[in-house]
Amino acid sequence: MKSKWFKITDNSRSWEEFYRKRWNYDYSVRSTHGVNCSMACSWEVFVKDGLICWELQKTDYPQIDPDIPNVEPRGCQRGATSSWYPYSPLRPKFPYIRKVLWEYYLEERNSGKDPVEAYGSIVEDPEKSVAYKSARGKGGWSRITWDKATELVAASQIYTIKKYGPDHIANFSPIPAMSLLSFISGHRYNNLLGGIYCSYYEWYHDLPHVSPSMFGEQTENCESSDWYLSTYWVVAGTNINMTRTADAHFLSEAKYRGSKIVVVSPNYSDVTKHTDLWVPLIPGSDGAYFMACIHVILKEFYAEKETPYFNDYIKKYTDFPFLVLLENDGNKYQMGRFLRAADLSEYANEENPDWKLIMTDGKRKLHLPTGSVGFRWEKEPTGNWNLQLKNAVTKEEFDPLVTLIDNHDEKAMVSFSDFTDTYSHTVGKTNGKGEKAVEILREVPAQKIKSKDGSELLVTTVFDLLMAQAGVSRGLGGDYPKDYDDPKPYTPAWQEKLTGVSRKLAIQVGREFAENAVKTKGKSTIISGPGVQHFYHGGSIYQRNQAVMLALCGCNGVNGGNFNHYVGTQHTRLNAPFVNLGSALDWVKPPRLMNTTSLWYFHTGQWRYDGMPLDTQWATGAKKLPGYNHAADMNALAVRLGWLPFFPQVDKKNPLNIYKEAVAAGCKTDDEVKEWVLNQFKENKLNFAIHDVDAHENRLKVLTVYRGNLIGTSMRGHELTLKHFLGTHNNVLWDEEPAKGLVKEINWIEPSPLGKLDLLVNLNFRMDSNANYSDIVLPAAFWYEKYDITFGDMHTFIHPLTPATDPPWESKPDWEAFVIIAAKFSELAKKHLPEPVKDVVFKALWMDSPDMLAQKNGEIKDWRNGDIEPIPGKTFPDIAIVERDYTKIYDKMVSLGPLVCKPHGYGSKGQYTDLTPIVEEELKFNKKFNIRNDRVYFERSEQVCELICQIAPELNGRLAWMFFKEMEKKVGLPLADLVEPVKQKRVAYRDLIIQPRRIHTTPQWSSILFDPKTGKQRTFAPFTMNVERLKPWHTLSGRQEIYYDHQGIRELGEALPTNKPPLDPVAIGDVNLDKAVGKSKVFRFITPHGKWQIHSTFRDHWPMLQLSRGGPTVWLNPEDADEIEVTDNDWVEMYCENGIEVVRAVVSPQVPRNMAITYHQVERHVNVPFSPLAKKFKRSDLRGGNNNATTRIMMNPHTMIGGYAQFTYYNNFWGTSPSERDHGILIRKMPLQSGEKKVIYQEKDLDQLINI
Amino acid sequence: MKVKAQMSMVFNLEKCIGCNTCTVTCKNVWTNREGAEYMWWNNVETKPGIGYPKQWENQDVWKGGWVKKDGSIQLRYGSRVYMLLNIFYNPHVPEMKDYYGDDVYTFGFDNLHTTQEMTQQPMAAPKSMVSGKEEIDINWNVNWEDNAGGSHITGQLDTNFEGMTKEEKDAYLKFKQVFYFYLPRICNHCINAACVGACPSGAAYKREEDGIVLIDQNRCRAWRYCVSACPYKKTYYNWRSGKMEKCILCYPRVESGLPPVCFHSCVGKIRSFGVIFYDMDKVEETLKVEDDELIKKHRELILDPFDEKVIEAAKESGYSDDWIDAAQRSPVYKLFKKWELALPLHPEFRTLPSLFYIPPQSPVTTSAGKSSPDESDVFDMTESSDGGPLIHPDELSKFRVPLKYLANMFSVGNTYEIEKSLRRQLAVRHYNRSLRVDQEPNLEILEKEGLTKEDADGITRAVSLAIYEERFVIPNTRREDAEISPYTERGFAGFDQMTPWSPMKRRKSLYTSHHTPEKSFE
């Protein structure tokens, strides 16, 4: 085959062996990256010459359906760089301790003190503790042995437990899904100690609050392959290409399949390149835009014509037909609570009558339909917890009225609140400190009914209230807009001035979205992200409007539809093993679950900088809550009513001593102790620690962080944290603490305490900011060096991490590390805590338990003010007495405890069963485990992985069947048939190593994953089980809840979908325009997920730094940049009262004006120079901070409501979030040293730093 | 007819998400070493922009590719004589500043473990990866313009705006009309490779069996003419080995039927890989046609693997049944030749690339706004289409990416080929929507674009549903055709140097062949 077009060499081509030899490798293993990105990709890691050399995606996922694209190859650019980490110079290879602390410790030990005494004498010495705390973050490392490091860690915990109590120790490690075993390891250990179990989901602001409040689920969303079935996509505030990289292909694939794609995004983001229609709205105006879409849908598909598909859907699956009381308020009405069985003579004798809601039919008959939460928690289930439209008492089927428009007795004038002008959407343009809401009066059709006591009640439906709220008049009187062009809430014209986009865009999208849903029976979807959610009102209002829009179009619970939010990795698919092993529930209950946002808000001193009164947030008719007009006060109320937890618990009391004191006072039983404790509270002899949170005895003392980067990544108010929590350098600019005088419930200590935390321990494979600021750094095994299990919410497969090599140097897998700490702890405890002790544990009211029925009618009754009696577990936190034997921590850590083998002893999310048959008939015959003392032992990490598989209903079909059998008792309809065909199927850990396996349908999840009759697989779409099998949602009504009738939510004006603008940081005081230096401009500061990092991981090795701009950046519009004389790649300083960050500008026309984008997470350990501004303001921290330097935790009161149906706390299910997007910054061009025009990086050159 | 097989590729820019997973996996396997720091055999650029190295497309600067001159095809660089005259000083070669600005950078991570007790936080500052020089400035790299970073400046130098007025260009580089998309690039393994044509040492060559273009690491003398001649700037100089290196299309994988790592790892699933047959005898005339004819002729050069005559000729050229089968299943054949969706990048360089791109669809927007939405400026982008929620093929002028820009990239400025591809993609979307939403197939819209229902279903499969084995159809290299009998070789594999200093001498076989006349050892 000779030809002149080919160079035919005479030489042999044997040189080609050159590259072939590179491709040759010794072996490969299956593993992945335990990083918090949700994508859960299976990778093949290649080992050559004993080194981990490269990785490629595995492509062997089982196929779900040949007509849906496969999920291969999963894995992105970031994951593909992982093999740069194992041998990186960044990696801590040995245990480190800061020299100052180590020398003190050695000194004390050499003087004859044992480890616990030695530790105590350092931390209680004011001079020494200031010395080692102020050295945090400033290098000065000493290498120590694992033995010494674990000794000090265990000693610190024993000292703290003895002196202050186990509720002064905390453990932070996020996101079980990314590596479940590693997650379990530290938490299991900590929960056996009785330490604080820190949440992460709402702390990351990734919890979409609408999901618990509207659906009663922490998070349910489609796996990405289900998107393919949708024919109308609205992608809002999420950059799928960037953050769901492995799933982004479904978008263009669905596009070819005929789907229309709408992107709602302020900037021309990556995903915008695919879109058919771009809605470039102003950041934070999504709520307004979607309210206008709702207006259009209600008008065109409900008011002007009847749409049968929609009508049938909302009757069955939403609370729209339920009746709501209207409360007389002078010449108008206020929206009240739901009408209940307890209100009506014919139903008042039902069990739990306050928790069963009422509908009416067209014949004025009031019905008690099945399905409300009251049916769920009956003592003996009647099987009426289901969504049949059937009267639970009369057993008749009925057709509920959704609207009273043709059946009303009167037109009631109802008060609504308009928050449009409370804050300006443009930072700094708010009127003063913000305005209060304005009242709008609109008529609503209403019926009169007779109450149990004979009085007359006025009621309407949820649907009629929403029509009025949305401004669709149907001929009713009041302040309704005339048409789409009338700029009253919430018309397309109204949204225009807030969103900056044409009214035509809202009309078009609202209309097309609904039309598509009609034609396809609900296959319109909204994919929603942090760009919507991360605002103060994001999860509670903006995303809620999207979810309600979907409900109105019958899209939730349909394959190809659904409210799809992908923020955080919260589908902990193997939920029951995660909950039970991680919380150590097999040994001890309850754990000290804590909503972490509040924990840091108080313990890092940030509450003192919260200058925001809540005036702007109250509805015009609010009466009760305005008495608690600050987030800190609201939080204190929430703690004492059992809505939210808080630790340490009791003011200046060790919970171990409380028990002893009670016994000394004559208590003989645990119940007597509980009563004694309550009386002490009633008599004001005991108080909650939160009321004096800065007191020395009420501080958090020891914190362990692993698999996470608390200090460098998630800590909003980073500089405030450096100052108050860690006690080291900071560049906080505040001149005074603005909460002084505003906060009433919390004791104000002057001066504010610095360095509140005694010890920060970190297990890490990177020398990142968290490691940098820790006292002890333990070297962790890399992901490619350990056994673990991973999964995510983007697909339904479970797959493993397996070691490619043993952990190099002295690094250890998390499980192994905590097992040896536990061993050391148990050994030291023999001297210091030799006998079992009793621990008094305060527990908030918990979701998916009978606590959901704690506070009836959602009324706020503050027992401290005498509104009601404090009753533990009802109007006061539950009090539990727990026995702990601290000498047996190791033994318990590595063996399965007896509590799971009790009736209802094992499970999660309110679905429980007795694990005995699995333990006795399966686990004890499984040769993977060691059986001793008639118990199942699992010292080695592969053994725990096997245990996780065997006790996960998602992988053990028999267990799924057992759970369904239990659930059938409540629901009263067949469900176990869903898993009958997989009843014999069990997946071993070894099977996962061979090939990823798909999960079974289980009651822990709301999706039907395959048709039991045909065996055909279905993609995961949430709520298909609710829609098709009539299993209720976990809400008050059992339906998708549109109306939130809790008094607190009504007083926030958020009972119905609404809109509130994002906060204005200038109005609140965080941006002080008087401190603007030189040519500065104020921007809204937006911190989305980036392309070249997963949070802080992958951002700090050269491959990603070469593919990006090589360090921290901010993206600016060219015209804005011109205004402050900045050009592309200039260094700039970004600052506000909370701190200073130094970055380089990326100037790009894809960014709109007034918006500064910093893709998080920017840390301070790579390419961060010193800041002239910090020098000018004479701050102790001269290095430009990370992207949380300028932020601060801001908590929304909506998220604190508790003790009431789905508004009930559970870890990562509900609670406060810090707000990511309601921040503002000033930006100026950074002045450089004249002459060289260089930035100053190193301490030795600090004298050259200019002072302008 | 002289049939040649060529490993060929299609990148679907509609699907590309610019993630650079391809870039990273390639780097990891092939160029993660001293001497290769700045080499990115695969890179992804954001367009508009000037790319890596800077302005590679601008042949006024770099003189790459071929030109039609005096009825023949010559290297733009100049004659062989001119080349030899400049052999010790080649004036048209990019320097480090064109690749990385000041220098290839890493960071001083060691600082973070310091035992020194400091007054401020330690930090890893940038330093040169090559020389170790501390605190260098960072001002360019392989992906500097990512997501239109700085594109209002560099976009001004983008040659694909050619033929548009200054005002038009400026408008596209402002928020109101901004657009961008990604352009992943590897070596095009051209049929008429300029690097091969320019190499004075005969080190660059095109493999007989599969058309992969390689540089022999033994023969290369690093004259760097391949860099100058390659209009895509896809060969690189290794300062450590003193040799030129380039994308090898992962031949060690391709020979085993695996796609290159950048294809395997493409998480946007934009890449297809397959064999095409072309007619060697037609190459020369194809190269010599006018600009407007280039794509048409290039398609004609590709042979129909179902045609009996082609099959016969392929067999004559020595291709086995499984290669013919692979050519018939080749996604590249379908996307480039059959459905005419894919186009070569800058065909005017006349290298006959083996890599084809499906041009991107783009958001339909018209804007009444000023420069940016704010409280006084409302964005209006709603000229809704008559054809329902999707834009109609007749409304291409509403596309945000200007057709002229795409035409400058993929069809020598002529919008006809671009429009055809975009219209066909749109027609398939309409057809599929009519099936799924309206439950009534709209065949009319397909017919208008010259597509049948089978075509539309095939396109949907190829660009949407195709699984790994459909995206990558790769026949094995026929190892049994090698010089030494595989019967013998399997035991020796890896023992090619039995003595450390010299290759083993081996007899070819103990056995006589019963099958192939020219081989005695099978």
Side-chain angles (χ1 to χ4, degrees), chain A residues 946 949-950 955-956 985-989 991-992 997 1000:
Chain A
E946 175 71 3
C949 293
Q950 295 310 322
L955 297 177
N956 184 333
K985 277 175 89 172
R986 283 199 293 276
V987 175
Y989 185 57
D991 299 333
L992 298 180
R997 296 299 165 103
H1000 307 146

Side-chain angles (χ1 to χ4, degrees), chain A residues 28-247:
Chain A
S28 70
V29 302
R30 184 192 298 279
S31 190
T32 190
H33 317 115
V35 68
N36 177 15
C37 64
S38 309
M39 288 192 278
C41 311
S42 193
W43 286 79
E44 184 170 12
V45 181
F46 294 84
V47 180
K48 184 182 176 82
D49 299 344
L51 300 172
I52 293 166
C53 280
W54 66 82
E55 57 277 271
L56 286 175
Q57 300 102 325
K58 279 280 190 187
T59 56
D60 57 354
Y61 299 87
Q63 186 170 53
I64 296 175
D65 184 326
D67 290 327
I68 295 174
N70 270 7
V71 298
E72 51 81 14
R74 293 192 69 79
C76 67
Q77 74 275 32
R78 294 155 295 226
T81 62
S82 286
S83 53
W84 265 278
Y85 272 134
Y87 316 115
S88 165
L90 189 68
R91 181 172 185 173
K93 302 174 175 81
F94 312 98
Y96 287 140
I97 188 168
R98 197 158 277 104
K99 228 185 290 179
V100 204
L101 177 59
W102 185 236
E103 280 165 9
Y104 287 147
Y105 184 71
L106 282 183
E107 203 180 301
E108 299 290 346
R109 290 283 278 130
N110 291 338
S111 76
K113 289 185 180 137
D114 79 10
V116 176
E117 296 157 356
Y119 174 79
S121 60
I122 299 166
V123 294
E124 302 297 348
D125 180 323
E127 237 168 75
K128 285 180 181 167
S129 74
V130 166
Y132 80 79
K133 287 173 184 174
S134 61
R136 285 171 175 161
K138 300 192 180 87
W141 294 110
S142 243
R143 185 177 149 185
I144 50 171
T145 63
W146 266 94
D147 192 47
K148 286 293 166 199
T150 52
E151 174 188 296
L152 185 49
V153 171
S156 73
Q157 290 166 338
I158 288 177
Y159 174 81
T160 306
I161 289 169
K162 272 178 83 175
K163 169 102 179 173
Y164 300 103
D167 57 345
H168 291 64
I169 293 175
N171 184 289
F172 182 82
S173 181
I175 316 297
M178 66 198 196
S179 45
L180 181 58
L181 166 62
S182 301
F183 175 92
I184 285 173
S185 55
H187 284 298
R188 186 169 171 83
Y189 168 65
N190 175 64
N191 286 319
L192 286 168
L193 300 187
I196 305 168
Y197 186 171
C198 294
S199 70
Y200 32 86
Y201 194 31
E202 78 282 359
W203 162 238
Y204 289 166
H205 210 144
D206 290 351
L207 171 75
H209 286 90
V210 61
S211 191
S213 55
M214 179 165 162
F215 303 108
E217 288 289 345
Q218 177 201 48
T219 293
E220 289 276 280
N221 41 245
C222 296
E223 65 181 305
S224 55
S225 43
D226 193 70
W227 300 344
Y228 190 68
L229 302 174
S230 174
T231 46
Y232 201 97
W233 298 35
V234 174
V235 179
T238 180
N239 196 348
I240 294 174
N241 299 14
M242 221 185 235
T243 58
R244 296 292 168 259
T245 311
D247 306 288

